[in-house]
Amino acid sequence: MAFAAEHRLLKKGGGLTVEGFHRWLCSDANAALDPHRQVYQDMGLPLSHYFIYTGHNSYLTGNQLCSGCSEVPVVKALRDGVRVIELDLWPNAAKDAVEVLHGRTLTSPVDLDKCLHAIREQAFFSSPYPVILTLEDHLTPHLQSKVAKMIKQTFGDMLYTCESENMSEFPSPDDLKGKIIVSTKPPKEYLQTKNDAADEGVWGEEISDDKPPPAAEKSSAAAEEAAVLEKEEREAESDKKTQQGVEVDNEYMRLIAIPLTRRKHDMDQDLKVDPGRVSRLSLGEKAYEKAIVSHGAHIIMFTQRNLLRIFPRSTRITSSNYNPLMGWRYGVQMVAANMQGHGRKLWLTQGMFRANGGCGYVKKPEILMNNNPEKLFDPTSTLPVKTRLKVTVYMGDGWRFDFRKTHFDKCSPPDFYARVGIAGVEADTRMEETRVMMDTWIPTWDHEFEFALTVPELALLRVEVHESDNHQKDDFAGQTCLPVWELRRGIRSVRLCSHKGEPLRSVRLLMRFDFS
């Protein structure tokens, strides 16, 4: 049977039949991104030169309020290529052991030991480059000592420790291959800094830009920031009382290879660059949105040497995400994403980290590393067009194999249309649509789009297919997001993914890419 099928694809005397050529054209061998491309970027630069695939509350199975905590999401994230795993550490009820959970919520805990073993087993399944373990630590010195022993015993030689207390420059991903790095606030300095929402539709909001918020939003953000500061001061006092009279565990201190700097709530001070020392800063979504309006240039300069992590607002209880390009445009390395928060914002993150062989580290473009104050990159400025990307959507197929006949319409074949666009700097961001092809499982659009790109190095191609419904919300039929700088020219096969980002077995579009 297999021989007969293969025989139909080959001509007598060699060569492909028309059917065979069409099969190849729509196969993964002809994918838009080179299926054989491995890591090709220079991996010998300091960590601050790379965007890093970063998770948020990596242990949660669902929402931020009442879902379960487990090592299973940690395993999935690592297998998907995520390189930054976050664990929140809390004492158990008896205060004699450590649990991982989202504190002050109804989430059910998981043992720290399970998470650490999961990280050890899966850390380098999809990439040899370092895993950064960020800890939100709410522990007494006695429990910190326990954690230090657990981490050392579990990770052994995988654990990276820094010989000097202050690093003048971060090591490179190449230097840190096969290593697990701990990053948290040093003991006695730890304060929880979660300020964090908004309802979104089932597919997530359309991608928004980093425009200054209206006055009402500014007032709301200021009130939220004040509340966060008050909360942090209360927790600081609580931590002080907890640790009073107890000596800090030196073993725990020595584990922290990347120290997290405590915020001073003065952005000029927070973003001050120390030429003799590098560190990591963490900002909540709201604080960061304010910072890019008032201190955009400072953020770019800070992230040329230091690491910056931004995390979603805690009021995003459904585990939704925000537009990661708001971080990447300013050089932010760690844009933390809720990996269980499926939708357009997470699709962008997945798209970015398909680049560079899917290793979880993508080198920042040179425009973000230029430290000449007169030539500093401004993501909000209008720059000249560097290149034009022409995208033709010819046709799509595969839904008839992956979906029931009645999945989209009970009484007739589906009415598909495609959405194609760019997510990047504000000037390049755009979304277009094809016409609706009525009553067909194999839509043929033959629609050409053209996108003028001022910063193609930060541009992601967005592709979605929906089924038009006059009476209800349009049905989702697949999506993908691809780094523009890695697209192969010519007619290519583009495999679509599910809402959760998993590749659909059969659904593909036939598209053409040309740069001019």
Side-chain angles (χ1 to χ4, degrees), residues 277-509:
R277 179 177 179 268
V278 291
S279 65
R280 175 171 76 85
L281 180 67
S282 195
L283 291 178
E285 181 184 342
K286 276 290 185 187
Y288 177 75
E289 285 177 359
K290 289 173 64 180
I292 57 177
V293 176
S294 60
H295 289 75
H298 293 76
I299 292 172
I300 291 176
M301 289 187 289
F302 180 84
T303 54
Q304 288 173 351
R305 279 183 45 77
N306 301 280
L307 296 177
L308 177 56
R309 174 179 176 268
I310 50 179
F311 56 87
R313 300 190 299 267
S314 60
T315 43
R316 291 185 179 274
I317 58 172
T318 59
S319 294
S320 61
N321 288 296
Y322 57 96
N323 184 359
L325 277 152
M326 289 177 67
W328 297 331
R329 291 168 185 167
Y330 291 87
V332 176
Q333 298 90 351
M334 299 178 172
V335 183
N338 293 309
M339 296 300 160
Q340 73 280 28
H342 308 295
R344 288 188 174 113
K345 314 296 172 57
L346 185 59
W347 299 344
L348 293 180
T349 300
Q350 291 165 342
M352 168 64 83
F353 292 102
R354 289 188 173 105
N356 200 26
C359 74
Y361 286 82
V362 175
K363 188 172 173 291
K364 294 199 286 189
E366 290 304 317
I367 52 171
L368 287 168
M369 301 308 297
N370 182 352
N371 57 12
N372 183 340
E374 294 180 3
K375 296 181 179 179
L376 206 62
F377 177 59
D378 179 2
T380 63
S381 64
T382 302
L383 300 170
V385 172
K386 264 191 189 174
T387 188
R388 294 180 185 276
L389 170 63
K390 285 186 180 179
V391 179
T392 306
V393 187
Y394 291 118
M395 60 170 292
D397 196 6
W399 293 279
R400 56 202 170 118
F401 304 119
D402 292 358
F403 295 88
R404 299 186 316 274
K405 285 186 177 180
T406 56
H407 180 86
F408 297 106
D409 272 329
K410 289 185 179 178
C411 304
S412 64
D415 310 321
F416 289 126
Y417 66 94
R419 303 183 74 227
V420 178
I422 295 291
V425 296
E426 186 178 338
D428 295 349
T429 299
R430 212 171 103 216
M431 206 70 182
E432 303 285 346
E433 287 183 8
T434 66
R435 67 190 184 283
V436 177
M437 293 302 297
M438 304 295 291
D439 298 329
T440 178
W441 283 98
I442 309 175
T444 303
W445 294 290
D446 283 333
H447 193 119
E448 183 181 288
F449 304 96
E450 184 171 318
F451 303 101
L453 302 178
T454 61
V455 189
E457 308 97 306
L458 284 173
L460 299 170
L461 178 72
R462 297 174 54 203
V463 181
E464 299 176 13
V465 176
H466 298 267
E467 199 273 336
S468 180
D469 194 321
N470 293 328
H471 307 294
Q472 301 177 41
K473 185 179 173 66
D474 290 353
D475 292 318
F476 173 78
Q479 60 81 25
T480 194
C481 188
L482 304 170
V484 163
W485 62 94
E486 289 196 7
L487 290 174
R488 296 201 287 172
R489 295 169 184 262
I491 299 173
R492 300 293 173 185
S493 170
V494 176
R495 182 194 282 263
L496 297 189
C497 299
S498 69
H499 177 240
K500 291 184 177 181
E502 304 291 341
L504 293 168
R505 187 170 58 89
S506 311
V507 180
R508 290 172 176 80
L509 302 184

Side-chain angles (χ1 to χ4, degrees), residues 92-121:
N92 66 354
K95 300 195 183 301
D96 60 357
V98 180
E99 295 176 333
V100 175
L101 76 156
H102 197 202
R104 301 186 178 93
T105 66
L106 301 176
T107 55
S108 56
V110 59
D111 290 341
L112 172 61
D113 193 51
K114 285 185 177 180
C115 293
L116 294 180
H117 278 84
I119 292 168
R120 183 190 68 189
E121 297 302 320

Side-chain angles (χ1 to χ4, degrees), residues 36-331:
H36 304 297
R37 172 169 271 179
Q38 303 298 312
V39 174
Y40 67 94
Q41 294 177 339
D42 181 0
M43 302 301 282
L45 302 168
L47 287 176
S48 56
H49 287 237
Y50 302 87
F51 298 130
I52 309 173
Y53 203 174
T54 301
H56 176 249
N57 291 349
S58 306
Y59 50 86
L60 283 180
T61 58
N63 67 56
Q64 304 285 312
L65 191 60
C66 58
S67 64
C69 301
S70 168
E71 75 282 6
V72 174
V74 174
V75 170
K76 184 179 187 311
L78 290 167
R79 292 177 77 92
D80 287 345
V82 173
R83 297 290 85 193
V84 182
I85 297 294
E86 181 188 34
L87 300 179
D88 289 14
L89 309 184
W90 293 82
N92 66 354
K95 300 195 183 301
D96 60 357
V98 180
E99 295 176 333
V100 175
L101 76 156
H102 197 202
R104 301 186 178 93
T105 66
L106 301 176
T107 55
S108 56
V110 59
D111 290 341
L112 172 61
D113 193 51
K114 285 185 177 180
C115 293
L116 294 180
H117 278 84
I119 292 168
R120 183 190 68 189
E121 297 302 320
Q122 303 295 331
F124 306 108
F125 173 86
S126 63
S127 169
Y129 292 102
V131 168
I132 300 172
L133 177 57
T134 63
L135 301 177
E136 254 198 30
D137 159 16
H138 306 268
L139 305 175
T140 61
H142 169 66
L143 290 178
Q144 286 173 346
S145 178
K146 271 194 166 186
V147 169
K149 289 185 177 70
M150 290 170 71
I151 286 177
K152 287 170 70 178
Q153 288 172 3
T154 305
F155 296 151
D157 291 341
M158 287 182 176
L159 186 65
Y160 174 80
T161 53
C162 188
E163 292 178 7
S164 63
E165 192 172 322
N166 294 325
M167 279 191 283
S168 60
E169 187 177 66
F170 286 117
S172 72
D174 266 342
D175 294 333
L176 297 168
K177 269 186 175 178
K179 293 294 184 182
I180 297 170
I181 308 163
V182 174
S183 179
T184 185
K185 284 183 179 169
K188 286 193 176 177
E189 286 188 26
Y190 185 82
L191 300 172
Q192 186 183 9
T193 53
K194 296 252 180 188
N195 68 334
D196 309 291
D199 247 350
E200 296 183 3
V202 66
W203 306 125
E205 293 174 347
E206 191 46 82
I207 306 304
S208 58
D209 291 313
D210 52 345
K211 294 173 182 172
E217 285 187 27
K218 284 184 181 177
S219 171
S220 170
E224 187 174 343
E225 184 78 359
V228 168
L229 183 55
E230 184 185 341
K231 179 184 174 187
E232 288 180 355
E233 286 169 350
R234 287 199 310 269
E235 289 179 349
E237 190 61 31
S238 171
D239 282 357
K240 189 177 177 183
K241 288 177 183 175
T242 301
Q243 299 192 3
Q244 209 164 23
V246 187
E247 208 170 303
V248 172
D249 183 71
N250 286 328
E251 284 303 303
Y252 189 77
M253 282 283 288
R254 281 193 282 270
L255 288 182
I256 303 169
I258 301 178
L260 174 61
T261 303
R262 175 179 169 179
R263 281 196 65 199
K264 300 172 182 67
H265 291 276
D266 175 344
M267 208 53 76
D268 289 324
Q269 290 299 312
D270 287 340
L271 296 172
K272 194 172 182 179
V273 176
D274 184 342
R277 179 177 179 268
V278 291
S279 65
R280 175 171 76 85
L281 180 67
S282 195
L283 291 178
E285 181 184 342
K286 276 290 185 187
Y288 177 75
E289 285 177 359
K290 289 173 64 180
I292 57 177
V293 176
S294 60
H295 289 75
H298 293 76
I299 292 172
I300 291 176
M301 289 187 289
F302 180 84
T303 54
Q304 288 173 351
R305 279 183 45 77
N306 301 280
L307 296 177
L308 177 56
R309 174 179 176 268
I310 50 179
F311 56 87
R313 300 190 299 267
S314 60
T315 43
R316 291 185 179 274
I317 58 172
T318 59
S319 294
S320 61
N321 288 296
Y322 57 96
N323 184 359
L325 277 152
M326 289 177 67
W328 297 331
R329 291 168 185 167
Y330 291 87

